[in-house]
Amino acid sequence: MLALLLLSVVVAVGLGPASVAPGDTARYLWAAVTGGRIGADETTTYQIVWQIRTPRVLLAALVGAGLSAVGVAVQALVRNALADPFVLGVSSGASVGAVGVTVTGGLAAFGVHAVSAGAFAGALAASVLVYAAASTRGVLSPLRLVLTGVALSLGFQALMSVIVYTAPDGEATSTVLYWTMGSFGAASWGALPLVAVVVLLGLVVLHRYGRALDVLALGDETAASLGVAPDRQRRALLLVVSLMTGVMVAVSGAIAFVGLVMPHLVRMAVGAAHARVLAVAPLAGAVFMVWVDLGARTLAAPRELPLGVLTALVGVPVFIALMRRRSYLFGGR
């Protein structure tokens, strides 16, 4: 999977309105990393490869990996096969933040990153509200967590609809609606380090929680009998997944399907042990998102398709076909 991911990145960086051969793409990337030289007549192509496409493809890989890993964790956290990174209301809160900034022109000090900053603030606010509403005397039950997340998500969506409906600027409204369907169009080298640090550290932390997730998936009573404090583990995991989701939604918008279905596809291949699933799911999600983003920017060029549309159109039929071909139950086979 790692080799496939590296190959996918090189191919995706080279393809576009101005296609670059894989060999030349690899040479440009190597020159950029090592400080090598290129010909004067190749400067324009080099700038396209390194300054425009590479940060976008790397961001797609990071977001795909993060969404897949968070999906694995959330499904075990709330013991629900239909859970995804956005079931806790984080995505809807981020959307409200992005809409508010776009319509009102707030957070102007952040410049071109104002929408991302608003989305991240909204995501964190949503996470705090979900935790405060779902927690009772320090107990955070899976059912209350899901119900609270779904209820607040619907509330945030209603608030976002009101803001969009009353917005005087139609162009801002179109921008917001496009953002809520997912896009890596604003990717840049400046936005990449924070996402990379949060996602990669989050992947390491979630992998260390692999055994705890195995136990949590069996139920709180079983977890307690095995020496695992379910509420404490759930609070820590909620913090990690909320931070990861907030950062990813802030730079890419709301991308559906990946965090819901990728964990199930990986479980079909490697089994239900979370240590194995969390090792494979990020790589599978990264490869999938790199190719989805490539399709989004090339299939209808020069227009760009929303990522959420492609993830659903491609992923749903594949997932249904795999489900029908082999017996599969959440958490096992």
Side-chain angles (χ1 to χ4, degrees):
M1 290 300 300
L2 182 59
L4 180 59
L5 175 60
L6 294 175
L7 178 62
S8 299
V9 167
V10 173
V11 173
V13 168
L15 293 179
S19 296
V20 183
D24 291 335
T25 301
R27 181 165 57 87
Y28 293 147
L29 294 176
W30 182 254
V33 172
T34 61
R37 296 183 177 182
I38 59 170
D41 58 331
E42 299 177 303
T43 302
T44 301
T45 305
Y46 171 80
Q47 292 295 330
I48 293 173
V49 167
W50 182 248
Q51 296 295 339
I52 298 176
R53 293 183 186 169
T54 301
R56 175 168 182 152
V57 172
L58 292 179
L59 183 62
L62 286 170
V63 171
L67 289 177
S68 298
V70 171
V72 174
V74 171
Q75 288 173 4
L77 185 67
V78 300
R79 300 203 304 272
N80 193 320
L82 295 177
D84 68 355
F86 306 135
V87 74
L88 302 179
V90 177
S91 175
S92 299
S95 298
V96 171
V99 169
V101 169
T102 304
V103 172
T104 64
L107 300 181
F110 288 90
V112 295
H113 302 296
V115 174
S116 296
F120 183 66
L124 289 184
S127 301
V128 173
L129 285 174
V130 169
Y131 176 78
S135 179
T136 303
R137 298 177 182 177
V139 177
L140 197 64
S141 70
L143 182 58
R144 289 178 63 90
L145 191 59
V146 172
L147 293 177
T148 304
V150 171
L152 288 179
S153 178
L154 294 174
F156 288 135
Q157 291 176 18
L159 180 59
M160 182 187 69
S161 299
V162 171
I163 296 174
V164 170
Y165 182 76
T166 58
D169 189 352
E171 183 177 351
T173 301
S174 300
T175 301
V176 167
L177 291 177
Y178 186 81
W179 180 87
T180 57
M181 292 186 287
S183 173
F184 296 120
S188 65
W189 283 113
L192 204 59
L194 176 62
V195 182
V197 170
V198 173
V199 171
L200 294 178
L201 285 179
L203 293 178
V204 172
V205 172
L206 290 179
H207 193 270
R208 291 177 63 90
Y209 273 90
R211 291 179 180 244
L213 289 171
D214 287 336
V215 177
L216 287 176
L218 299 176
D220 287 3
E221 292 184 1
T222 303
S225 68
L226 294 174
V228 174
D231 293 317
R232 186 177 62 188
Q233 300 288 344
R234 199 168 282 118
R235 284 195 294 269
L237 287 167
L238 178 61
L239 175 62
V240 174
V241 300
S242 296
L243 286 175
M244 292 178 66
T245 304
V247 169
M248 291 185 290
V249 172
V251 296
S252 66
I255 303 175
F257 178 82
V258 180
L260 171 63
V261 178
M262 272 296 160
H264 294 303
L265 293 177
V266 173
R267 288 190 190 98
M268 291 181 188
V270 303
H274 283 88
R276 292 199 300 269
V277 175
L278 286 170
V280 178
L283 295 174
V287 171
F288 178 71
M289 189 56 67
V290 166
W291 285 100
V292 167
D293 178 60
L294 176 61
R297 58 186 170 88
T298 58
L299 291 178
R303 300 183 65 184
E304 184 176 320
L305 296 174
L307 293 172
V309 173
L310 286 182
T311 54
L313 290 177
V314 174
V316 170
V318 172
F319 180 66
I320 291 176
L322 287 173
M323 287 279 287
R324 291 182 62 84
R325 287 185 58 185
R326 61 185 304 177
S327 174
Y328 171 76
L329 296 173
F330 172 67
R333 297 183 180 180

